[in-house]
Amino acid sequence: MTDVVDSLVGFLEQLMTTPLFYPLLSLVITLDALCPLLPSETVLNLAGAFSGSQGVPDVRWIFAAATIGAIIGDNLCFMLGSRLIRVVNQLDPESRAGKAIEWVRENQNKRAGVTIIVARFLPWARWVATIVLGSVRYNWFLFFIYDTIGVLLWVTVGVGVGYLGGAIMSDYPILAMLVGVTLGSLVGLGIQKLQSNVAEWNDVRRGMSAI
């Protein structure tokens, strides 16, 4: 069992110490922005955790690579909004993506900036938000500013939480990565729960105002 763990750690260390890791990380995050099926949050947590426990890869380069990938992906998605909106409109309203569409459309007119920033932390919502805003020709410069803020916060949380988990369990690399990914997942779930509660609170408030 020890040999298997050592081999796995060695493989991950070899992967994450290669110069190709950083552009590969950027590519994964860019593709995730265009099609939210790749677990980019998990990749960020894992890279941060490994950096915190083993000292590699360099956390500063992780941050830079992830930021570049997310900004490129989001802006490409925004530019393709008018073409991809057809795909969005065909999604099941009761699905996770469908509910994200409803949330984005309810908030885009009143608080587009906050919606863009918060949506960065919600995989389907960020994809829908960029497409919808791109399709209605929302001001690109404002989108770029708000999205960049959201990306910087998203990367800081994703890498930072993973790094913290890795540093706490630095003597046990595999456990450190599991802790880092688990902490990252819990933070992500917490943000989604908070967003859901705030949305429900707004619905109740609007309902009471209408009475």
Side-chain angles (χ1 to χ4, degrees):
M1 185 64 179
T2 303
D3 292 339
V4 174
V5 172
D6 290 341
S7 297
L8 179 58
V9 173
F11 170 76
L12 289 173
E13 187 169 8
Q14 185 176 12
L15 174 65
M16 293 192 182
T17 53
T18 175
L20 292 176
F21 174 74
Y22 302 109
L24 182 61
L25 177 63
S26 288
L27 178 61
V28 167
I29 293 176
T30 298
L31 293 176
D32 174 64
L34 293 170
C35 182
L37 298 176
L38 297 172
S40 60
E41 282 86 359
T42 301
V43 173
L44 271 187
N45 298 152
L46 186 62
F50 205 86
S51 179
S53 65
Q54 303 297 299
V56 289
D58 191 316
V59 69
R60 294 167 297 181
W61 282 103
I62 296 174
F63 187 93
T67 300
I68 292 170
I71 290 175
I72 290 174
D74 287 350
N75 282 272
L76 283 175
C77 198
F78 181 85
M79 290 167 56
L80 294 170
S82 59
R83 297 183 181 182
L84 294 175
I85 192 64
R86 297 175 184 175
V87 177
V88 170
N89 289 333
Q90 292 174 356
L91 295 172
D92 179 5
E94 297 302 318
S95 67
R96 184 180 178 186
K99 292 178 180 178
I101 294 170
E102 182 181 358
W103 177 75
V104 169
R105 285 181 167 158
E106 284 180 355
N107 289 276
Q108 66 179 356
N109 294 326
K110 296 180 181 179
R111 50 183 80 85
V114 174
T115 301
I116 293 169
I117 294 171
V118 174
R120 216 334 104 182
F121 291 85
L122 311 172
W124 281 103
R126 67 172 173 251
W127 181 71
V128 171
T130 53
I131 291 173
V132 171
L133 293 172
S135 70
V136 298
R137 288 172 172 72
Y138 179 76
N139 184 290
W140 172 78
F141 183 72
L142 289 178
F143 172 82
F144 179 80
I145 295 297
Y146 290 130
D147 181 66
T148 300
I149 294 172
V151 166
L152 291 173
L153 291 173
W154 176 75
V155 173
T156 299
V157 171
V159 177
V161 170
Y163 188 91
L164 177 63
I168 292 173
M169 305 295 295
S170 59
D171 293 333
Y172 307 93
I174 294 296
L175 188 57
M177 287 182 285
L178 291 175
V179 170
V181 172
T182 301
L183 285 176
S185 299
L186 290 174
V187 169
L189 290 172
I191 291 172
Q192 292 187 41
K193 182 64 176 176
L194 178 62
Q195 175 269 324
S196 178
N197 289 340
V198 170
E200 289 178 7
W201 177 77
N202 281 330
D203 289 342
V204 171
R205 188 184 63 173
R206 284 199 299 266
M208 293 179 64
S209 299
I211 296 174

